[in-house]
Amino acid sequence: MALRIPAVPPFDLTAVVKSHGWVQLPPFEWDDDNRELRTVTEIGADDEDRRVVGLRVEQLTDSDGRPVPKVRVVCEGIDEDMLGEAAREEIREQVTWMLGLDQDLAPFYRFARGEPALAHVEAQAQGRILHSPTLFEDTVKTILTTNTAWSGTIRMTRALVEALGDPLPDAPTRRAFPHPEAIAATTDAELRELGLGYRAPYVGTLAREVAAGKRDLKALKQSDLPTDEARRRLLDIKGIGAYAAASLLMLLGHYEDLPIDSWARKMVSERWHAGEPVGEAEVKAAFRQFGRWKGLAYWFWDWSA
DNA sequence: TTCCAGGGGTAGA
DNA sequence: TCTACCCATGGA
């Protein structure tokens, strides 16, 4: 029996999947024809009963074929009927986190109505950002976005998954993102050989800290954790600076910071500074008026409006 | 060949 | 707090 999980409306699976480039990073796959998101994940890590599971997620429709705010999750590589309630709940939690199904963006939508460049967000159900199943996976992937072209991020992520990810039992070419213990058991030199460059010790150190219980990334997901404290903990990770911390804060539901990268500077330059080079200060100034929503305002800004 | 990408750490001021 | 310099790698 496939899992069915409701979302806070409005919800559109395609909008979440296309919210950024994350879906291009393995183990994510997106079937555009069937509008189906696939990934490979692991459950049972906490009770040392680790199992690799493939997930296929699609949005449900009503009898007239119209999408409804609910997803259907089919598990692969595991007999669904044999899944215990704890395992089903863990899968439910992971998918809810990945797609932000429990996020209520009504306050953002009320705010966006006054801005022409955000006029589309509510009608298109934009505002959710695709997450990986675990914050560890997203933190490593974020480190792999720094100071490299997007093609480099894809290459490095693929190398990590292929070399260190656990395979799906009945489809061994499909692998989960490597868990902290798997990366922790790898030397920095071996990580360099995967093409991670100088990022190798950052990824290796983070994995060893998490595996040893010295760094609790899950604790960052506490909804009542103040932004300042979440930011402080993220910046304490070697390899995470202002840009990467802002990106991860967005995934954690804190939108006060802006992930300012070369693309942000380019867009702000072209839009408000006649193509003259701009720095961090100009990007911040451009979105200051959006207060606690400035991250989402920037992320879903319609630059052609 | 040179430059730079969805930056960050560190030393020195 | 701010700046200069270095960091691996691959594509343009």
Side-chain angles (χ1 to χ4, degrees), chain A residues 147-264:
Chain A
N147 196 27
T148 186
W150 180 243
S151 61
T153 302
I154 296 174
R155 173 179 46 76
M156 289 183 263
T157 306
R158 183 180 298 135
L160 266 183
V161 170
E162 289 180 356
L164 301 173
D166 285 340
L168 197 60
D170 55 359
T173 58
R174 295 179 60 198
R175 293 171 178 274
F177 191 84
H179 45 78
E181 291 77 7
I183 298 180
T186 309
T187 66
D188 289 352
E190 289 168 329
L191 292 174
R192 277 182 195 273
E193 288 176 9
L194 296 176
L196 271 60
Y198 66 91
R199 303 168 198 82
Y202 298 154
V203 171
T205 300
L206 174 63
R208 285 188 285 274
E209 290 173 346
V210 172
K214 293 177 182 171
R215 195 179 288 282
D216 184 7
L217 293 177
K218 293 191 187 84
L220 288 165
K221 293 162 80 169
Q222 290 171 223
S223 58
D224 59 345
L225 190 68
T227 300
D228 288 347
E229 176 59 18
R231 184 192 300 113
R232 189 194 65 73
R233 292 191 201 174
L234 288 168
L235 291 173
D236 188 56
I237 300 170
K238 295 296 180 196
I240 299 289
Y243 156 79
S247 294
L248 290 164
L249 282 171
M250 296 259 291
L251 296 181
L252 291 163
H254 301 271
Y255 307 116
E256 288 91 332
D257 293 8
L258 293 171
I260 300 170
D261 53 19
S262 57
W263 190 80

Side-chain angles (χ1 to χ4, degrees), chain A residues 282-296:
Chain A
E282 288 81 1
V283 178
K284 282 185 177 173
F287 287 91
R288 186 166 295 138
Q289 59 178 305
F290 298 104
R292 62 179 286 227
W293 299 110
K294 60 170 82 74
L296 282 186

